[in-house]
Amino acid sequence: MSRWWFYPVVFILGLAVALTAVVALAAAMIYPRLPSLETLTDYRPKQPLRIYTEDGALIGEFGEERRAVVRLRDTPEHLRRAILAAEDERFYRHGGVDTLGVLRAAMANVVSGGVREGASTITMQVARNFFLSSERTFTRKLNEAMLAIKIEHALSKDEILELYINHIFLGQRAYGFAAAAQIYFGKPLKNITLAEAAMLAGLPKAPSAYNPVVNPPRARARQMYVLGRMRDLGHISEAEYQAARDQRLRIRHSPQQFEVEAAYLAELVRQRMFEKYGDSIYVTGMKVYTTLRADDQRAALEAARHGILEFQRRRGYAGPEGRVKLPEDAAAADKAIDDALIARDEFSGFMPAVVLAVEGNRLRARLRSGEDIELGATELRYAQRYLSAQMAADKRLQRGSVIRVARVDADSPWQLTYLPQVEIGFVALSPDNGAVRAMVGGFNFSRNQFNHVTQAWRQAGSSFKPFIYSAALEFGVTPATRFEDAPIEVDPAVTGGVPWSPKNYDGSLDGAMTLRTALAKSKNLVSIRVLQATGVDNAHAHVARFGFDMSRIPPYLTLALGAGEVTPLALAAGYAVFANGGYRVTPWHLLRVTDKDGRVLEHFAPPAAARVLDERNAYVMTSLMQDVIRRGTATAALKLGRSDLAGKTGTTNDHHDAWFAGYQATRVAVAWMGYDQPRPLGAGETGGGTALPIWVHYMGKVLRTVPEMPAVAPPGLVWERVDPATGQSVAGDQGVIEVFYEEFAPGSLVHSPTEEAQPPGGDAATAPAAGADGP
């Protein structure tokens, strides 16, 4: 009896020996047949085309898989620790198969009566992801273990962990942690916080179940588990644990989110790359760097969002976009909210939300991130009509209403809004070489891929007048030349049989005035007389110097009012000639193309600039357009507190288009707003009230640290005091100081057009409708 334990022990030892022999025999048979590790040792994953700003911010990605390869040394230490805590805490102490982990998992499964825990190490996961299926069979598990041991003999621990970090699937088409950081948080992997690292480290176990976009509560619970494990293992302190636990994460929900949103330019790049390199661009990891600058693009996006929000504010609230029935039970209501919001995308910062309650003078709503926000009395007044009990239930603003909210920037309050029908175009260039610094091709690329900066041919309205005035300066007209602001009846013989009686935007008539005053006040009738004085053909030839497509700008008198069609990009390039002293630049946006390892495949330089305008002309036109801001239709720009800004407003017939084009020595920018199918923007919507605020918002951001840079006068100009009533020189301190070409100074001032500058009579077969009648 004293040796009763002997036989069980012998049985167990015998069983262990037998099992060991079986495993050894199986290993001896399986190991030689294991696949080659060349796939791991020469790791070449499919990598998408990536597009960056000049300063390295990711703006676009195109490929079969969303993957970014990083070196282990470039990953944050807290991410590596989070992965080990979540997946394999003994990674650096086992040989590929964690025996203690296997025993622990086996014991847990016996206790639970089922397969509740696995014992896959990181090395085993690498083996499975590269070579094996995910089926749950003994043979597959044995192959996985054998492969893990083989991998451990061929690669170092750091090399294995690097493969895992780059290859593991993490949901949302993201392969690898670098891609996941970009997709879920919109930032490079190196910039993620401890809280974000814990969220990502929790994904490999079940990417669909713990996906923070699809299932925020389960993702949060998994994140808390990972942080707890990190604390228990001594990877982080209690204080770090508490701080990470309390951090509210901003999860990106849009289909594509990058460091900077620039989808319209990214698509231009993709098209060009595909034309040159074909389908290989989607798998070889090529990188394209553009002339865009991250801060410029962010400022442009913010300005565009602000412009649309303010436009919709003036037009009135359009009502909720849907309604979801919310049960009284809190858990059921939360699920209904989650389901309703997951089905709706964020568009350019216009966030979907569900109203929780409308109480008194406040409205509470929940965002898809789970954050509850509050809108105050101002927003309820804006939506007053939709609070009425007489409004149809599906249109009434109440508990369960699906709404849109937005804010201009992170420090601004939330505003009630709606998805716009109006479109926008904004582009900014460096006037010295034409490099595109910012481009907003529309409200949102996923809703409308039409690029309004490069593809929208629209009448420019009064923003085209500077080119006509520039032509006039070459034919003896000066800033002091006076023209009548009086009615005009254009002879049908000149318009091809179509009578034309143009008017000023506001219908006023102010009598004779100088060229400077006429441009500042955007006087249509004076602009027509300036064109007549210059000659339509002369002016048309002069305008061609600025690089416009002249087939879209016919040589008629309506040229004076911007009847020709231009794109915002073409208009920006035209204004760049004034800004840089007379050189025509060609807009460009590509800097260089590299392979995945950074080797340069193509390098680009700015297209050669040619002088097309007398530098004196550029200086005088800048002086005239500075007065548009100082005392004309663009005085709203005075809020920037700068004296080196110049530009011109533009509004087309019936308020179809609102423009502002302007510049400073380092930036030329154009803002446009209108509908794709032209229709009125609404009464009072002008270039000065609709487009100019967008331009001002952008310039206020990008010029914040740029000192004033006044234009430098070139040789060949003189300044004299003149009587604005006559344009002639005056003595002493009388009159105003004006600038002139030397040859056209008051002593030789031309008050009537020269014979060679006379407009040809009846040179047009048919004249188009007037292009613009407003500032």
Side-chain angles (χ1 to χ4, degrees):
M1 291 295 296
S2 63
R3 300 181 61 187
W4 63 267
W5 49 266
F6 177 76
Y7 295 104
V9 169
V10 170
F11 175 76
I12 292 173
L13 289 175
L15 182 62
V17 170
L19 287 174
T20 302
V22 169
V23 170
L25 180 61
M29 296 175 64
I30 293 173
Y31 198 89
R33 299 179 182 178
L34 292 176
S36 167
L37 300 185
E38 184 178 350
T39 303
L40 302 184
T41 56
D42 187 22
Y43 183 51
R44 295 183 181 181
K46 294 179 180 178
Q47 295 184 56
L49 169 70
R50 284 193 170 83
I51 303 167
Y52 298 88
T53 63
E54 182 182 74
D55 39 359
L58 183 65
I59 62 171
E61 185 177 271
F62 301 92
E64 297 177 9
E65 299 175 355
R66 303 174 73 175
R67 185 194 303 275
V69 177
V70 293
R71 302 302 299 270
L72 186 66
R73 62 174 178 265
D74 297 326
T75 61
E77 184 178 359
H78 51 255
L79 173 66
R80 299 195 295 272
R81 291 181 172 181
I83 292 170
L84 297 181
E87 294 294 320
D88 191 355
E89 66 186 72
R90 288 171 37 81
F91 173 70
Y92 281 97
R93 299 197 296 275
H94 62 63
V97 178
D98 185 2
T99 307
L100 292 178
V102 171
L103 294 175
R104 184 174 61 248
M107 183 64 68
N109 292 334
V110 168
V111 172
S112 65
V115 180
R116 304 296 294 272
E117 288 191 22
S120 288
T121 64
I122 283 177
T123 313
M124 293 168 73
Q125 291 184 56
V126 169
R128 180 168 66 247
N129 281 304
F130 274 91
F131 302 107
L132 303 173
S133 70
S134 58
E135 62 179 344
R136 294 193 172 190
T137 63
F138 176 77
T139 302
R140 196 273 294 164
K141 201 68 178 175
L142 188 59
N143 274 289
E144 184 178 296
M146 293 297 100
L147 263 173
I149 294 171
K150 184 174 182 179
I151 290 170
E152 291 273 350
H153 281 88
L155 303 174
S156 69
K157 287 288 188 179
D158 284 352
E159 288 173 329
I160 295 169
L161 183 58
E162 185 176 290
L163 284 170
Y164 178 83
I165 285 173
N166 284 310
H167 199 76
I168 195 74
F169 177 66
L170 298 171
Q172 300 292 106
R173 291 178 45 234
Y175 290 82
F177 284 87
Q182 195 67 62
I183 289 166
Y184 290 113
F185 304 118
K187 59 173 66 173
L189 187 63
K190 63 183 180 181
N191 293 341
I192 63 171
T193 65
L194 172 60
E196 291 166 340
M199 177 79 70
L200 295 179
L203 288 170
K205 184 176 178 65
S208 58
Y210 298 124
N211 186 323
V213 171
V214 178
N215 201 328
R218 293 191 68 178
R220 169 72 173 171
R222 179 67 175 166
Q223 177 202 29
M224 290 300 99
Y225 166 78
V226 175
L227 286 171
R229 291 290 298 151
M230 294 181 75
R231 178 189 58 187
D232 296 344
L233 293 170
H235 293 332
I236 59 174
S237 66
E238 180 66 27
E240 289 174 316
Y241 169 81
Q242 295 292 343
R245 186 192 65 179
D246 295 340
Q247 182 186 345
R248 182 181 291 276
L249 302 187
R250 176 170 170 76
I251 306 297
R252 299 299 186 99
H253 295 277
S254 294
Q256 294 271 8
Q257 283 290 350
F258 305 104
E259 291 172 76
V260 182
E261 181 185 336
Y264 290 94
L265 187 81
E267 174 59 16
L268 286 179
V269 174
R270 185 203 66 80
Q271 291 175 9
R272 187 267 176 192
M273 293 294 291
F274 181 79
E275 289 172 2
K276 184 170 179 65
Y277 297 100
D279 286 330
S280 66
I281 65 172
Y282 302 122
V283 296
T284 55
M286 298 172 75
K287 300 175 184 178
V288 182
Y289 292 84
T290 69
T291 60
L292 233 60
R293 289 183 178 166
D295 286 345
D296 282 70
Q297 184 66 13
R298 291 190 185 101
L301 290 165
E302 194 176 285
R305 183 161 58 247
H306 176 263
I308 288 178
L309 282 171
E310 290 302 303
F311 171 78
Q312 299 198 150
R313 207 76 176 174
R314 293 189 296 271
R315 306 326 299 168
Y317 185 51
E321 63 182 60
R323 187 163 184 255
V324 57
K325 186 175 181 181
L326 298 184
E328 292 302 320
D329 177 71
D334 288 346
K335 184 178 186 308
I337 291 172
D338 289 343
D339 291 344
L341 295 180
I342 285 173
R344 287 174 165 83
D345 285 328
E346 169 194 345
F347 293 109
S348 300
F350 282 52
M351 308 283 289
V354 171
V355 175
L356 301 176
V358 180
E359 303 164 336
N361 61 356
R362 67 183 187 132
L363 179 151
R364 289 190 298 109
R366 178 166 299 163
L367 303 177
R368 184 161 43 185
S369 64
E371 178 186 358
D372 289 350
I373 63 172
E374 187 172 297
L375 306 179
T378 301
E379 303 309 303
L380 291 185
R381 283 195 297 272
Y382 172 54
Q384 186 66 45
R385 175 188 170 198
Y386 291 89
L387 296 171
S388 170
Q390 301 189 0
M391 181 69 67
D394 61 333
K395 293 292 186 181
R396 192 183 316 147
L397 195 57
Q398 59 183 317
R399 175 177 165 81
S401 293
V402 180
I403 60 174
R404 290 278 167 174
V405 295
R407 51 186 177 182
V408 176
D409 55 47
D411 298 324
S412 302
W414 289 101
Q415 296 184 37
L416 185 63
T417 188
Y418 52 95
L419 292 178
Q421 294 181 349
V422 74
E423 278 295 353
I424 196 166
F426 184 90
V427 62
L429 311 175
S430 286
D432 59 331
N433 63 9
V436 177
R437 299 307 186 189
M439 179 185 289
V440 181
F443 166 66
N444 184 270
F445 183 79
S446 60
R447 291 183 79 213
N448 186 349
Q449 288 78 51
F450 185 77
N451 190 331
H452 298 84
V453 168
T454 62
Q455 296 176 292
W457 292 91
R458 308 290 286 236
Q459 291 185 343
S462 295
S463 62
F464 201 76
K465 289 176 181 175
F467 303 105
I468 305 304
Y469 282 50
S470 171
L473 294 180
E474 298 301 299
F475 289 90
V477 175
T478 79
T481 303
R482 291 167 60 80
F483 292 89
E484 286 292 333
D485 180 28
I488 293 178
E489 293 291 335
V490 180
D491 190 332
V494 176
T495 62
V498 180
W500 184 36
S501 300
K503 293 178 174 56
N504 288 324
Y505 170 75
D506 57 5
S508 66
L509 296 171
D510 294 334
M513 63 181 63
T514 64
L515 189 79
R516 181 179 293 276
T517 299
L519 186 63
K521 293 186 175 183
S522 198
K523 289 291 187 175
N524 291 337
L525 299 176
V526 171
S527 295
I528 294 169
R529 287 187 166 90
V530 170
L531 180 55
Q532 288 176 323
T534 307
V536 173
D537 284 351
N538 292 327
H540 194 259
H542 183 85
V543 168
R545 299 183 190 178
F546 293 82
F548 293 109
D549 180 350
M550 300 310 292
S551 67
R552 293 179 176 268
I553 304 176
Y556 308 132
L557 279 178
T558 49
L559 184 68
L561 306 187
E565 293 180 332
V566 299
T567 64
L569 185 62
L571 193 61
Y575 271 72
V577 177
F578 297 130
N580 66 31
Y583 291 90
R584 187 172 83 192
V585 295
T586 302
W588 62 296
H589 58 268
L590 293 175
L591 281 177
R592 65 184 181 279
V593 178
T594 75
D595 65 12
K596 64 182 178 61
D597 298 316
R599 288 185 287 267
V600 176
L601 304 177
E602 291 184 86
H603 190 276
F604 302 89
R611 176 169 288 286
V612 295
L613 189 67
D614 187 327
E615 58 185 335
R616 298 178 302 171
N617 191 302
Y619 180 89
V620 174
M621 286 307 305
T622 295
S623 170
L624 294 176
M625 283 189 276
Q626 285 175 341
D627 260 19
V628 174
I629 290 175
R630 291 184 186 123
R631 59 189 182 92
T633 58
T635 53
L638 291 174
K639 66 186 292 185
L640 295 178
R642 303 180 67 101
S643 62
D644 59 345
L645 304 175
K648 184 69 186 75
T649 53
T651 311
T652 60
N653 271 354
D654 299 321
H655 305 271
H656 283 182
D657 304 270
W659 295 85
F660 186 79
Y663 57 92
Q664 178 264 358
T666 64
R667 287 293 182 279
V668 56
V670 171
W672 166 86
M673 191 180 288
Y675 291 102
D676 280 342
Q677 295 300 319
R679 59 187 174 94
L681 289 166
E685 297 296 338
T686 65
T690 305
L692 175 59
I694 300 168
W695 187 90
V696 169
H697 194 109
Y698 168 80
M699 286 295 197
K701 293 284 186 180
V702 300
L703 299 181
R704 188 164 37 197
T705 60
V706 178
E708 288 202 21
M709 304 173 69
V712 178
L717 294 173
V718 295
W719 284 259
E720 294 189 20
R721 284 192 176 274
V722 297
D723 180 353
T726 65
Q728 296 298 319
S729 295
V730 293
D733 295 332
Q734 301 300 309
V736 296
I737 298 176
E738 191 53 271
V739 60
F740 302 91
Y741 287 13
E742 282 181 338
E743 61 269 32
F744 298 142
S748 57
L749 191 62
V750 177
H751 292 282
S752 60
T754 60
E755 183 175 346
E756 60 270 23
Q758 292 282 355
D763 60 338
T766 304
D773 65 357

